[in-house]
Amino acid sequence: MTLALRTSTRSRRRGVVGFLYTLPALVLVTVFFLVPLALLIWMSLHRWPLLGKPIWVGLANYLAIGGDGTFGQSLLFTAVYTVIITPILFLLGFGLAMLVKEQRRGAGVFRTVYFMPYVIGFASSAYLWLWLIDPSVGPIDKLLTDLGITGQPFGWTDTPTGALFAVIMSVVWKVVGFTMLLLMSGMQSVPGDVQEAAKVDGAGRFASLWHVMLPLLRRNIALVLVFSVVGSMLAFEQFYILTAGGPGNRTLTIVYWIYNSSFANFQLGYGAAMSVVLLVMLMLISGVQLYLLRDRSE
Amino acid sequence: MKTWAAAVLALLVALPLVACGRTESGPTTLALWARSDESAFLQSVVDAFNRTHTGIKVRMTLIPTGNFVQKFGLAVAGDAGPDLASIDLVYVPFFASAGVLRDITPQVRRLSYLDKLSPAHMRNAQYGSRFYALPFSGDASVLYYNVDLFRQAGLDPDRPPTTWSRIENAATAVKKLGGGRYGFYFSGACGGCNVFTFAPLIWASGGDILRGTGTSQQPSVAASPQVRQALQFYRRLWTSGVVPPQAQTDNGANQFTPFETGKVAMFATGAFGISTFTHDFPNLHFKVTPLPGRDGGSSSFSGGDEIAISRTSQHPDAAWTFISWATSMRAQDRYFGAAGVAPIRTDVALGSYSAKGATYATLAKALVSGRAVYSVQENALINDSTGPWTTMIADAVFGGDIDGAISRAQKAMSNTISRG
């Protein structure tokens, strides 16, 4: 009896200590995520102008989304952008990780060079690319015309395809180093004896990669893909600065439209409703991704 | 105890004196906020007021044009707004509806020159039949044309185009000259520029883009055949190659360059073009003509600023003194008209301002007879670079899907208005 009581007291004390350890994180999540989320949902149920008094409208903002062609168009464009850029980032990042994963001479320099653009903010990187692709003063068009590849400046942002391509170039340049780093750390944690065993069993380089490396990298790949998809679905700065959503709204992303509805058109309630819808979509997408890429051995 | 009580009493007596002393010891200082593109002339207006008034001083702060609406609105909402604001007339209905501006109806009604003020400005100064602002600076869209290019192309510069087909013919003739010369220019990705220069083509032909006001307002882009015809007109100009390629992505930032450099024959813009072209490009010989309708007639967008007192101003009477001085005949003549800014008084615009020459006279007539867009959702509907008006022009003129563009714009405008 005494022993049981002592055990119970000890486990209760351990529970309290555990709670105290998680308390800072809980406070942060509550203050910076749960409270703003609750406010966002509250706003989405109001006609909430930037100026003036909010008016309760129930689900009217959510119902208005159905009739908003720009919402559908920008969501579709964002999905297309995500579908295009995710495999590019993954394959390039994977290739770079393969190149720099070994501890050989000079590998550290390359890792740093590939990763360096990641530390620049998206806005700064977009402004840099705005200059690079400028048809009058940018070096890319000058190089292309000097080499005779194009007869005149390309006009990257004149067409939807050119504008999208310019953004993809800028984002890949900026983000691929991070993808490389995540995959490289996974590759380095694959035990050498497992790869040795595969080699002894007669597995070639491709078979070893496909049957040994990739299954062991499952968690890292899941992380990379979730980051890439969520990051791409939330794309804003690069489009805001490089294409301004044009030409003709053809490169308008969903977050750009939420921003404009909220802060250019002062319909904060409607912007909040679209944000909630996007949040639910992203939670579902990430859930499906994590389910598909889960470690089945667990 | 006695000493302590005396000290409290002294403090209580002194407090009101301290509060009064602030205003009685020196002049009342009014904060005036204006958008940065008004800076060229506004400082001289403020300086003139400060020179001629001893009890009131105005201190001007320039806000970047693109951020003015947000900055002013948020400042007033946080009780940190200025006393006076010079606001683009298209945004006045929004600010008035949001309760940011002071109702000045009684003072306005007492003005002896009420009927002399620009009609378009006066309409946009009202919300729910109350006045929240008064006209401040004027502007009007007209068609500028390059006299030398007209001559070289065999066109008579004294007979400018008066219909759309004549604009097309003149533009084609100039384009045929070669040498990188073009017939016509507009900023294809600039909603504000296009409501200023493209909407008058529709109005002059008998069409409209919005009908009604307030909650009963409805877009009429689908119901007005003139909108379709005007888009077809711009589409023909674009596909025939008489418009420079950069028009498609020009958000207004470089709108003057093609005309200034003498490479473009026709370009619609406002009064500020006169002083800019005359002073900075003395070799550019230009004239102006009204923006025509499809088969004749003309119209113009009466733009510029209104002056309003913010709700939070502590000095509304002093602010009104500035407003009544700025709208006086003398101030509009000496500090607006003389500086090349279109005056908002019809008597000054059609009088001394028009006497400066034919270009000014054409602008003055356009201002007096012009109109503006009235909507509390103006930014969402028209000026927003991702909004339905800008998108409709891009899709129709550059994409060629005119019917689809109009239909989508009609639906998007209705949707925006319904969301309030």
Side-chain angles (χ1 to χ4, degrees), chain A residues 197-211:
Chain A
K199 204 181 279 181
V200 170
D201 288 346
R205 197 172 269 199
F206 179 76
S208 173
L209 177 73
W210 188 256
H211 295 292

Side-chain angles (χ1 to χ4, degrees), chain A residues 41-260:
Chain A
I41 294 169
W42 179 247
M43 282 177 83
S44 74
L45 301 172
H46 289 77
R47 179 174 287 181
W48 196 299
L50 190 66
L51 309 164
K53 286 190 180 123
I55 302 164
W56 172 268
V57 292
L59 295 174
N61 284 326
Y62 290 95
L63 297 174
I65 292 175
D68 180 4
T70 312
F71 177 85
Q73 186 195 331
S74 57
L75 188 64
L76 181 67
F77 169 74
T78 314
V80 168
Y81 165 72
T82 304
V83 166
I84 294 173
I85 201 164
T86 300
I88 295 175
L89 275 177
F90 177 75
L91 292 174
L92 271 178
F94 195 89
L96 290 176
M98 290 291 281
L99 287 176
V100 300
K101 71 180 164 65
E102 306 292 349
Q103 294 291 350
R104 61 174 77 127
R105 239 176 80 182
V109 175
F110 282 102
R111 278 178 212 153
T112 311
V113 168
Y114 296 145
F115 185 73
M116 205 175 274
Y118 187 72
V119 301
I120 307 171
F122 259 117
S124 314
S125 138
Y127 274 116
L128 175 70
W129 278 85
L130 190 66
W131 167 70
L132 286 170
I133 63 167
D134 187 279
S136 315
V137 295
I140 290 183
D141 269 336
K142 181 161 171 43
L143 186 71
L144 291 175
T145 45
D146 286 354
L147 292 173
I149 296 169
T150 53
Q152 58 184 14
F154 186 70
W156 294 91
T157 52
D158 291 356
T159 62
T161 314
L164 177 60
F165 190 68
V167 171
I168 286 175
M169 279 196 303
S170 76
V171 173
V172 167
W173 173 80
K174 180 178 153 32
V175 173
V176 76
F178 183 61
T179 309
M180 175 202 76
L181 199 73
L182 288 176
L183 290 172
M184 188 191 74
S185 63
M187 287 172 185
Q188 286 174 340
S189 65
V190 172
D193 50 353
V194 177
Q195 296 189 62
E196 279 298 315
K199 204 181 279 181
V200 170
D201 288 346
R205 197 172 269 199
F206 179 76
S208 173
L209 177 73
W210 188 256
H211 295 292
V212 179
M213 181 74 91
L214 282 180
L216 288 170
L217 281 178
R218 188 183 285 272
R219 284 183 178 184
N220 297 70
I221 292 171
L223 189 66
V224 163
L225 291 182
V226 168
F227 272 166
S228 177
V229 168
V230 171
S232 305
M233 287 298 289
L234 295 177
F236 171 63
E237 300 100 314
Q238 56 270 45
F239 287 96
Y240 183 76
I241 292 164
L242 276 174
T243 73
N249 278 6
R250 289 292 185 273
T251 60
L252 185 72
T253 64
I254 185 64
V255 174
Y256 197 155
W257 180 231
I258 291 172
Y259 167 80
N260 262 18

Side-chain angles (χ1 to χ4, degrees), chain B residues 57-83:
Chain B
K57 295 291 168 206
V58 174
R59 198 173 55 224
M60 184 173 70
T61 302
L62 292 171
I63 309 289
T65 302
N67 300 333
F68 185 87
V69 174
Q70 284 96 333
K71 276 196 184 287
F72 174 62
L74 287 173
V76 176
D79 284 344
D83 299 287

Side-chain angles (χ1 to χ4, degrees), chain B residues 128-151:
Chain B
S129 77
R130 306 293 292 175
F131 282 96
Y132 292 88
L134 268 187
F136 190 45
S137 61
D139 199 358
S141 47
V142 289
L143 185 66
Y144 284 68
Y145 59 99
N146 184 313
V147 170
D148 293 335
L149 285 181
F150 262 54
R151 283 214 182 92

Side-chain angles (χ1 to χ4, degrees), chain B residues 271-272 274-275 336-342 353 356 360:
Chain B
F272 39 86
I274 301 178
S275 52
F336 288 83
V341 178
Y353 184 74
K356 285 152 67 103
Y360 294 92

Side-chain angles (χ1 to χ4, degrees), chain B residues 109 148 165 169 224 265 330:
Chain B
R109 295 243 188 262
D148 293 335
S165 60
N169 293 340
S224 276
R330 182 182 160 84

